Amino acid sequence: MTQHTLIRSDQISDDLATFDAAPQPSAAPITAWGAVGSMALTVSVLIASEFMPVSLLTPIARDLSMLEGQAGQVISISGFFAVVTSLFIARLAAGLDRKTVLTWFSVVLVFSALVVTFAPTYWILMAGRALLGIAIGGFWSMSTAIVMRLLPSDQVPKGLAALNAGNAIAATISAPLGSFLGELIGWRGAFFLVVPLALVALAWQWLTMPDLPAKKEKPTANVFHLLARRQVALGMTAILLLFMGQFALFTYLRPYMESVSGFDVTLLSLVMLLMGLCGIAGTWAISRLLPQWLYALAIGMPITMALLAAGLVFASSSQLAVTLLLGAWGFVGTAAPVAWGTWLSQVLSDDAEAGGGLQVAVIQFAITLGAALGGLLFDHVGWWSSYLFAGLLLVGSSLAAWAARSNRENAK
């Protein structure tokens, strides 16, 4: 009897050991989606913080006794540090639990908002914005890889769409909201409101994000080596041209709407809100088509945006036409990055963190370059030239996406 009992105990122990060794899901579905929701909120706060200074440069410059052009560097410095961080974070964070890494980036976001709010000098303000760039580059670089670990593969496009919906909302409302809050409570008060939002995102993230131990595979030492893969090089080219085209146009939307189409501030704000709502609808709708139509959408969306850019040139005198065109731009343009996030999850599933870092670096560089070139054309050639330039870049993005699809099919 005793021997039989011991045998049964040993068998039970073996069974338990076998059960413990079996792969377990990283999170229950509800918990996983809660974690994705916390990431979407964090992304919203990050992007809102990045673009809020656009409408607050004048009071910042006046308060800190500097030129507006000098104050404008608070935007470029965050982009620079985002690029640098995105290129090296996969290597620097090797071996660390990804929940811990995301938590620290969220803490950096809170600290950067506090530094900016209470900055007594220009250089301390710049330091705070540099910290924001680190948080943006690090968090965004890992977002695709983490969504891939949280959700089943067929739900990854929906998860990425949720992140992009947060991006769409923040990018759309940050500038007008910053202007409104700046008048109401001052630019420092506007930046301070980032703190409670970031703390809510941090708490939500800590409560819902499961432990995500670092993978055993050694991360890519140099993310640029990924460009040796033809599929990656073509895809990143398409991403570069897409974001250059978007921001060559979007950056100068307000002066176009006010000076060319005659929108007043109230109507302008309503149209911007419409763009954001259309963007949310677009990400929801298009994310459901991505599993079957990834490359078709990656090719078709930039072409559609190019046609909309041309429409904004030729229909600039009609406020109704401009409003409808911008609503369509929001619907398509906001969803376009989701397609390339899904592409990354498929093409670089073996090295998603390094691929995410490279993608964020390309996007941040494209935003800076597209806005700079678009601004030069807007000022020195005419407003229409920056919009046609954006259209040409978007056509180029579509051609690069077509080449990526052809390369993918030939490789099968």
Side-chain angles (χ1 to χ4, degrees):
M1 179 72 176
T2 304
Q3 185 179 6
H4 177 72
T5 303
L6 289 173
I7 292 173
R8 293 290 299 162
S9 299
D10 290 343
Q11 288 174 342
I12 292 171
S13 298
D14 291 342
D15 290 343
L16 288 172
T18 302
F19 176 79
D20 289 338
Q24 303 297 317
S26 59
I30 294 177
T31 306
W33 278 106
V36 172
S38 72
M39 293 175 65
L41 178 58
T42 307
V43 165
S44 299
V45 179
L46 285 167
I47 301 304
S49 301
E50 183 177 18
F51 291 113
M52 193 182 293
V54 170
S55 58
L56 295 171
L57 291 183
T58 300
I60 291 173
R62 183 172 58 246
D63 192 33
L64 296 180
S65 302
M66 56 185 175
L67 300 173
E68 288 188 4
Q70 189 179 14
Q73 298 306 313
V74 301
I75 299 172
S76 59
I77 193 172
S78 61
F80 172 78
F81 275 86
V83 170
V84 174
T85 304
S86 64
L87 290 175
F88 298 105
I89 187 58
R91 186 70 174 174
L92 294 175
L96 298 178
D97 189 294
R98 271 30 190 170
K99 176 179 180 177
T100 303
V101 176
L102 286 192
T103 298
W104 276 110
F105 282 129
S106 299
V107 170
V108 171
L109 168 61
V110 175
F111 186 62
S112 72
L114 290 171
V115 172
V116 170
T117 299
F118 298 105
T121 66
Y122 170 72
W123 292 110
I124 294 178
L125 176 69
M126 293 288 278
R129 294 292 296 180
L131 289 173
L132 174 64
I134 292 171
I136 291 170
F139 198 96
W140 260 120
S141 296
M142 295 194 162
S143 60
T144 297
I146 289 176
V147 169
M148 289 170 61
R149 295 180 65 179
L150 289 172
L151 301 176
S153 59
D154 62 330
Q155 296 184 32
V156 168
K158 296 180 182 178
L160 296 176
L163 297 189
N164 218 56
N167 180 11
I169 295 170
T172 300
I173 69 171
S174 58
L177 182 63
S179 178
F180 172 76
L181 292 174
E183 291 294 324
L184 193 66
I185 57 178
W187 70 269
R188 294 182 187 274
F191 278 108
F192 184 75
L193 289 180
V194 170
V195 176
L197 289 174
L199 287 173
V200 169
L202 175 60
W204 187 7
Q205 182 180 298
W206 182 256
L207 292 172
T208 58
M209 184 73 66
D211 292 332
L212 296 169
K215 294 184 177 180
K216 294 181 180 180
E217 294 88 349
K218 188 176 180 181
T220 301
N222 184 348
V223 297
F224 292 109
H225 288 167
L226 296 173
L227 295 174
R229 307 184 194 180
R230 183 172 174 79
Q231 174 69 197
V232 175
L234 290 170
M236 291 298 172
T237 299
I239 292 169
L240 175 73
L241 295 173
L242 171 67
F243 278 87
M244 282 184 67
Q246 274 192 303
F247 281 85
L249 187 151
F250 180 76
T251 307
Y252 306 99
L253 202 53
R254 179 163 183 168
Y256 162 82
M257 293 176 70
E258 288 182 327
S259 302
V260 179
S261 298
F263 285 80
D264 59 30
V265 175
T266 301
L267 187 56
L268 183 149
S269 299
L270 289 175
V271 173
M272 296 287 280
L273 178 61
L274 173 66
M275 288 180 64
L277 294 175
C278 289
I280 295 170
T283 56
W284 180 85
I286 290 175
S287 66
R288 279 151 179 75
L289 301 175
L290 285 174
Q292 292 79 32
W293 302 97
L294 173 58
Y295 282 99
L297 290 167
I299 295 167
M301 286 190 287
I303 284 288
T304 303
M305 294 167 68
L307 293 173
L308 293 172
L312 289 171
V313 173
F314 295 108
S316 59
S317 59
S318 170
Q319 291 187 349
L320 177 59
V322 169
T323 299
L324 293 174
L325 288 167
L326 289 178
W329 178 276
F331 186 93
V332 178
T334 306
V338 182
W340 288 109
T342 303
W343 167 84
L344 176 71
S345 70
Q346 294 181 5
V347 174
L348 286 171
S349 58
D350 59 328
D351 207 351
E353 288 186 359
L358 178 61
Q359 186 181 56
V360 171
V362 168
I363 290 171
Q364 290 289 334
F365 177 71
I367 290 172
T368 302
L369 186 59
L373 295 176
L376 288 173
L377 289 170
F378 196 97
D379 287 339
H380 299 291
V381 179
W383 66 267
W384 53 270
S385 62
S386 61
Y387 280 51
L388 293 181
F389 175 62
L392 290 174
L393 290 170
L394 291 165
V395 170
S397 175
S398 184
L399 291 173
W402 176 80
R405 186 191 67 173
S406 299
N407 176 259
R408 182 81 164 176
E409 291 177 349
N410 293 335
K412 291 181 180 180

